[in-house]
Amino acid sequence: MRTLSLALSVIALLLLFPALLPLLGWLNWLVLPLALLGAGLGVIFGEERAFRLGLLVLVVSALRLFLGGGLL
C-alpha cells in the first residue's frame, strides 16, 4: 500500500505538468483528487515521501485553479 500511495502522488505530479499550460487548466480537477488520495494514503500507511509529494502537488494545483478562476 505504500507503493500505491507513492504511485498515486507521482501520477498526480505527471498530470500536473500539462495542467499548468494555458487551456489545460481543467486537468487540475483530475489532479486534485489524485494528489489528495496519494497524500491521504501516505499519512495512513506512513509513507512520508508520498505525503509530501501529494501535498506539494495539491497546493500547486489548487493555486493554479485559484489564479485561473476555476476555484472560488
Side-chain angles (χ1 to χ4, degrees):
M1 294 305 279
R2 293 176 131 194
T3 307
L4 178 65
S5 64
L6 188 58
L8 284 173
S9 295
V10 169
I11 290 171
L13 177 67
L14 292 176
L15 286 174
L16 177 67
F17 291 134
L20 293 175
L21 297 173
L23 300 176
L24 292 177
W26 56 269
L27 194 56
N28 284 308
W29 288 108
L30 178 66
V31 171
L32 277 175
L34 280 176
L36 186 63
L37 188 62
L41 288 176
V43 167
I44 291 172
F45 296 114
E47 180 65 37
E48 189 174 339
R49 290 178 301 175
F51 169 67
R52 288 187 179 185
L53 182 62
L55 193 62
L56 175 70
V57 171
L58 188 71
V59 167
V60 171
S61 180
L63 181 65
R64 168 65 169 94
L65 276 173
F66 179 73
L67 292 175
L71 185 67
L72 300 176

